[in-house]
Amino acid sequence: MVNKIKTIVLGVTGSIAAYKAAELASRFTTEGFCVNVIMTESAQQFISPLTFRNITGRPVVTTMWDIASEFSVEHVALAEAADVVLIAPATANIIAKIACGMADDMISCTVLATRAPIVIAPAMNDNMWSNSITRENVARLVKRGFTFVGPARGRLASGKMGLGRLTSLDEIFGITLQVLGRKGDLAGRHIVVTAGGTQEPVDPVRCLTNHSSGKMGYAIAEAARNRGADITLISAPTTLAAPPGVKVISVRTAEEMLKAVQDSVKKTDALIMAAAVADFRPVKAASQKIKRQEMSELTVELEKTPDILNEVRGNFIRVGFAAESRDLIANARDKVKRKGLDFIVANDITEKDCGFGTETNRVTIIDGKGKVDELPLMPKDEVADRVLDKLRGVLK
Ligand code: C5P
């Protein structure tokens, strides 16, 4: 979906967390962004500009007065090139300077001159963070549309526990991508995505479930977030971290998922059911743990779960997933008709590198008019973007 190389200006200020900015620079660079790093003088006490230069392959701005720098000709060149400005870690000092409109170092100067959105990831002593002066500065910037991510609670440089740690890099990365995609092609759209495999209890210890990892649904939620959509992710249990900037509703059973979907679709543009919902559940879950020594064999009577996708209909686009082990196209076509879907994303789970738990998928998209689009094997985040391309077409 990223057509043009996006430019991130990464401002690094003098916090002990400055070394973590190297990891951020690396992640953005690996993802294909052009990363221009600006360091304050105190940041250079904690980490060398050379580190960022090698990671980003770009010159690092360390002063306003470097006449040899490609950016020095026009001190606002970086501000104009930026698609987003991220300051991580941001000290109380830089926040105060920005809140006052000062421009006496290259970061504050760039912030004042840019029209790009600005993300600030604070890191400081807990007393500095809770000080009413900092609170007022932050409130003023939030009011002006700045996005704050963190800080987190944890062990601080002083050795004590408190609120002031640089938040997780996943959080900073995710929120920056969200801010960057705010005006994307799904801006203003609300999308409900389901993910993971439901668990149907047999007794308080055991359950019936499936091999779904939730990766495909999570990838769709993140990709749609990065294209400007407002996402509700209804997730059955997975080992995946909640995507930053996404509203997550955790559920366990098909029944709970049905209820969450019904509540969430009231104002939605689309429902994407990527979850592997159990088709059957025990008629009655035992209230106590079933003891092995008390029975020679065990028969569990099963009943059908509600078919969420079939039941939840309304004035929104409905997208299903079909994990098939045979007759992929015929089965998927039948499902599109039976469940009245706008389109279905089908994959053959018996194929190598496809389906449950893998990082890649090979899917076929079949729409209500019978159009079949067979996609090659690709990473799940690319599959997610292709599914969203199809959705955008239908939404139009
Ligand atoms: O009919 P089948 O279960 O193969 O259909 C798969 C699609 O239906 C998926 O999108 C899945 O999330 C959804 N589904 C559902 N409720 C169920 C079973 C599947 O919404 N009980």
Side-chain angles (χ1 to χ4, degrees), residues 273-275 277-279 305-309 320-321 324 335 338-339:
M273 283 288 304
V277 186
D279 288 319
T305 56
D307 186 337
I308 303 171
L309 200 44
F321 271 69
E324 303 290 345
K335 255 171 233 178
R338 209 162 17 90
K339 302 193 186 197

Side-chain angles (χ1 to χ4, degrees), residues 50-205:
L50 190 64
T51 306
F52 291 104
R53 175 161 191 127
N54 283 340
I55 288 172
T56 62
R58 305 274 308 144
V60 174
V61 178
T62 54
T63 167
M64 290 178 92
W65 314 114
D66 177 5
I67 51 168
S69 162
E70 73 173 86
F71 303 116
S72 67
V73 184
E74 199 181 355
H75 66 291
V76 292
L78 274 173
E80 280 171 2
D83 289 299
V84 67
V85 176
L86 165 65
I87 307 178
T91 55
N93 183 54
I94 195 77
I95 292 171
K97 285 212 272 185
I98 296 169
C100 289
M102 287 174 68
D104 65 347
D105 70 90
M106 205 53 171
I107 295 180
S108 52
C109 181
T110 302
V111 166
L112 199 60
T114 194
R115 290 287 165 267
I118 297 157
V119 181
I120 295 185
M124 66 192 75
N125 169 272
D126 55 342
N127 287 341
M128 285 176 153
W129 176 249
S130 60
N131 192 307
S132 59
I133 302 176
T134 306
R135 309 260 36 82
E136 279 169 26
N137 289 336
V138 171
R140 186 189 271 191
L141 294 178
V142 168
K143 210 169 142 204
R144 290 189 176 275
F146 286 56
T147 299
F148 277 78
V149 51
R153 196 171 290 281
R155 190 174 170 277
L156 304 171
S158 62
K160 70 174 189 175
M161 301 294 283
L163 185 63
R165 255 177 95 82
L166 185 74
T167 195
S168 80
L169 301 186
D170 283 341
E171 184 84 12
I172 299 171
F173 188 72
I175 295 296
T176 306
L177 293 188
Q178 181 178 38
V179 168
L180 200 52
R182 236 181 227 160
K183 294 191 180 135
D185 61 354
L186 294 175
R189 300 291 191 176
H190 180 244
I191 302 175
V192 177
V193 182
T194 66
T198 61
Q199 296 182 350
E200 311 301 328
V202 174
D203 70 11
V205 180

Side-chain angles (χ1 to χ4, degrees), residues 10 20-29 86 88 166 169 172-173:
L10 174 61
K20 296 182 184 169
E23 177 64 28
L24 274 175
S26 169
R27 273 170 84 168
F28 282 115
T29 305
L86 165 65
L166 185 74
L169 301 186
I172 299 171
F173 188 72

